[in-house]
Amino acid sequence: MNTQALIKELKFKAVKSSGAGGQHVNKVSTKVELVFDLQNSSEFTKEEKELLLQKLKNKLTKENSLFLSCDESRSQHKNKELVIQRFLKLIENSLKVPKKRKATKPSKSSIEKRIDKKKKQAYKKAFRRKPEL
């Protein structure tokens, strides 16, 4: 994955942020919104796009665009860095193909231990009952 080429495909928009900052918040656009058009991206193969569409389906818009925003910092530049890092991590994690699960059986000794433990527990509980007259 070529991160530099991927970053060039991103579109940024700065808007006024909410939260701490006093009068400064009302004057400066520090919140950064990132938009990535997954459908028209030239960085991913068809298979990768399908995998991303599947894994990010709840984060995508109807036009298959990914929308992220960041307003953690008072600095627009810092927010831009943070949203890019978040985007790259999200893409990286979404492209990972999970390992196939191998079905396993418990060993004979573990089965025997489990049954033995159950018998001991049942024996212990049988002694707690009131005796029948």
Side-chain angles (χ1 to χ4, degrees), residues 23-77:
Q23 191 177 5
H24 183 71
V25 169
N26 302 328
K27 296 188 291 184
V28 183
S29 299
T30 56
K31 181 178 181 179
V32 176
E33 295 177 344
L34 173 145
V35 180
F36 176 67
D37 189 5
L38 182 63
Q39 203 70 21
N40 298 324
S41 176
S42 60
E43 285 301 306
F44 298 113
T45 63
K46 201 171 193 177
E47 294 81 26
E48 288 175 330
K49 282 183 185 179
E50 287 174 19
L51 184 64
L52 286 169
L53 284 169
Q54 182 186 6
K55 289 218 178 164
L56 299 173
K57 63 183 169 193
N58 59 340
K59 295 182 187 277
L60 295 173
T61 62
K62 290 177 184 175
E63 299 84 35
N64 290 329
S65 293
L66 181 65
F67 181 81
L68 296 173
S69 64
C70 181
D71 62 349
E72 293 171 21
S73 173
R74 287 188 186 183
S75 166
Q76 189 182 108
H77 299 294

Side-chain angles (χ1 to χ4, degrees), residues 33-128:
E33 295 177 344
L34 173 145
V35 180
F36 176 67
D37 189 5
L38 182 63
Q39 203 70 21
N40 298 324
S41 176
S42 60
E43 285 301 306
F44 298 113
T45 63
K46 201 171 193 177
E47 294 81 26
E48 288 175 330
K49 282 183 185 179
E50 287 174 19
L51 184 64
L52 286 169
L53 284 169
Q54 182 186 6
K55 289 218 178 164
L56 299 173
K57 63 183 169 193
N58 59 340
K59 295 182 187 277
L60 295 173
T61 62
K62 290 177 184 175
E63 299 84 35
N64 290 329
S65 293
L66 181 65
F67 181 81
L68 296 173
S69 64
C70 181
D71 62 349
E72 293 171 21
S73 173
R74 287 188 186 183
S75 166
Q76 189 182 108
H77 299 294
K78 183 72 175 164
N79 283 335
K80 189 173 180 179
E81 288 174 22
L82 289 170
V83 81
I84 289 172
Q85 287 174 0
R86 206 178 296 163
F87 168 76
L88 292 174
K89 189 181 280 187
L90 183 70
I91 295 294
E92 185 180 316
N93 290 339
S94 297
L95 287 174
K96 286 182 185 172
V97 180
K99 292 181 184 176
K100 292 219 173 182
R101 185 186 176 279
K102 294 178 185 173
T104 58
K105 280 184 176 178
S107 64
K108 277 189 178 182
S109 65
S110 68
I111 293 170
E112 288 173 13
K113 282 179 191 175
R114 191 181 113 264
I115 291 171
D116 195 40
K117 196 173 178 182
K118 285 176 81 170
K119 284 181 182 175
K120 284 181 184 176
Q121 188 70 10
Y123 183 74
K124 189 194 309 181
K125 290 199 174 219
F127 270 99
R128 292 182 186 165

